[in-house]
Amino acid sequence: MTSMAVKIRRREHRRQKRVERVQAKRYREERERRERAQLERASRHISLLSPKVVGCPVMRRVKSIKQPYGGYIPSRTLAATVLGDGDEALSPDGDVSAILIGIAVDYLTRLLSGSSAEESFDISLRGAWIVGEAGYASSLLSEVRGLDDVSVRNAIRLAGYDVCFRAGPRGYKPVEDIWPDEATIGNVRTMVGRALAFLEQYGPKTVDGFTFEGGYTDVIVAGDGDFLTEDTLWDFKVSKRRPTSQHTLQLLVYWRMGLHSVHPEFQPIKYLGIFNPRLNTAYRIPVADIPQAVIDEVEQQVIGYW
């Protein structure tokens, strides 16, 4: 090899080294830029999360969120379908809380649409175990067979155990003190009947009492929903009013957590819906109508996928 060839080879080697150093520098700078951006996003995200709402159930997280004006999904965008007589056909409420009535309607609907008693009242049984009343709860459940007075009364009492599982025993009040009157029992019976007719029209159900294994985050660590049909994720509400922005955000969170979960049943979902058996009205919105920017913000800032 001549001296000229050696010089050329050395120059080429030095040039290649310079190129490699420039490339390495650019790579380090790009990596550092991405890391800074990731840290900034994480810092912004963490700054939005009060310690009181980190590691909480879905509804507690939803209630803590200050939504844009009208809500992430304005309730007026849900199409409403009235299925028959509504609240005007029910008797005035007794002294049983609307929460217990709603739970009883939900669980009785699960039972009478094909789920076992233990599956339908699973949360109630877990709550009873927490306060050492598993035996009494089982005796109540053994008498829940349909929509007769004893079944409905016991279902309402069993609903009183849910708070123990969802919020802890501090909020528990003895279920033997729950005495629903005839009007309340009649209202529950009517609303369950409406719910079963609703499932006949929009169902059948594919899943009830669904959860989100694989989809929970450090922000939302618990939560369960009501019903899935073939193409719709449904939540039951027994309010006397139309759905609110909290209700629609709850649906959106359920859907996105379901898609992130290990459960394939969420993949075909095309609609989010609320059925209110008190108003006897179904509300739905196609998921295709929800802006991607809204979905992205809720996933990051509400659920904690970042």
Side-chain angles (χ1 to χ4, degrees):
M1 183 180 294
T2 65
S3 60
M4 179 59 69
V6 171
K7 289 180 180 178
I8 293 174
R9 187 171 180 178
R10 287 176 178 172
R11 281 200 299 271
E12 180 61 24
H13 180 72
R14 288 195 294 270
R15 188 191 69 81
Q16 184 64 32
K17 285 292 187 181
R18 285 196 298 272
V19 170
E20 290 176 356
R21 285 197 295 271
V22 170
Q23 291 177 337
K25 181 180 179 182
R26 288 176 178 172
Y27 173 79
R28 288 195 302 271
E29 290 174 348
E30 177 62 20
R31 183 182 64 188
E32 291 171 356
R33 184 193 66 78
R34 289 197 302 267
E35 290 176 349
R36 286 196 300 271
Q38 185 176 6
L39 287 173
E40 288 173 2
R41 287 196 300 270
S43 297
R44 288 197 301 270
H45 184 78
I46 292 171
S47 68
L48 294 172
L49 306 179
S50 164
K52 295 182 180 180
V53 292
V54 174
C56 61
V58 171
M59 277 310 299
R60 183 176 172 195
R61 178 63 181 149
V62 165
K63 290 177 180 179
S64 75
I65 297 298
K66 184 177 181 180
Q67 299 189 49
Y69 179 77
Y72 284 113
I73 302 178
S75 60
R76 66 179 181 276
T77 61
L78 276 65
T81 303
V82 178
L83 304 182
D85 292 339
D87 188 45
E88 72 284 351
L90 300 177
S91 301
D93 288 331
D95 58 358
V96 176
S97 78
I99 293 175
L100 295 186
I101 291 173
I103 293 171
V105 170
D106 181 0
Y107 293 175
L108 282 170
T109 302
R110 298 183 192 189
L111 174 65
L112 297 177
S113 59
S115 298
S116 70
E118 290 74 18
E119 290 171 335
S120 301
F121 289 86
D122 177 62
I123 300 298
S124 300
L125 295 176
R126 295 185 187 210
W129 182 85
I130 289 173
V131 292
E133 297 185 11
Y136 181 55
S138 294
S139 69
L140 290 175
L141 186 60
S142 68
E143 296 180 334
V144 178
R145 302 185 179 92
L147 293 177
D148 59 275
D149 287 2
V150 173
S151 293
V152 174
R153 183 179 297 112
N154 284 5
I156 296 172
R157 286 179 172 173
L158 283 165
Y161 286 120
D162 270 46
V163 66
C164 305
F165 179 80
R166 299 184 185 281
R170 182 175 298 179
Y172 172 65
K173 297 180 180 179
V175 299
E176 57 267 24
D177 293 341
I178 300 173
W179 284 96
D181 58 19
E182 291 183 5
T184 300
I185 292 172
N187 287 346
V188 169
R189 183 181 295 118
T190 298
M191 286 190 280
V192 173
R194 292 173 177 178
L196 294 173
F198 155 79
L199 287 176
E200 285 289 328
Q201 180 171 340
Y202 285 89
K205 71 179 183 183
T206 56
V207 179
D208 60 27
F210 54 81
T211 51
F212 310 102
E213 287 78 11
Y216 297 110
T217 67
D218 291 340
V219 180
I220 297 178
V221 299
D224 58 280
D226 292 341
F227 293 88
L228 297 181
T229 54
E230 183 178 3
D231 63 357
T232 306
L233 185 158
W234 293 99
D235 194 51
F236 274 24
K237 302 294 183 186
V238 297
S239 170
K240 295 183 179 181
R241 298 179 178 84
R242 284 180 54 91
T244 67
S245 60
Q246 284 190 357
H247 297 156
T248 57
L249 178 56
Q250 179 186 5
L251 284 175
L252 180 54
V253 169
Y254 280 167
W255 174 49
R256 300 312 298 180
M257 290 182 69
L259 291 178
H260 282 266
S261 77
V262 299
H263 302 296
E265 297 87 353
F266 291 94
Q267 299 303 321
I269 295 301
K270 297 179 181 178
Y271 299 90
L272 304 181
I274 292 171
F275 176 63
N276 186 324
R278 180 179 291 279
L279 302 181
N280 207 8
T281 302
Y283 305 86
R284 285 208 305 180
I285 182 172
V287 297
D289 290 354
I290 304 172
Q292 187 61 46
V294 168
I295 293 173
D296 292 342
E297 182 169 341
V298 168
E299 284 204 346
Q300 296 172 18
Q301 308 298 351
V302 178
I303 305 174
Y305 298 133
W306 50 278

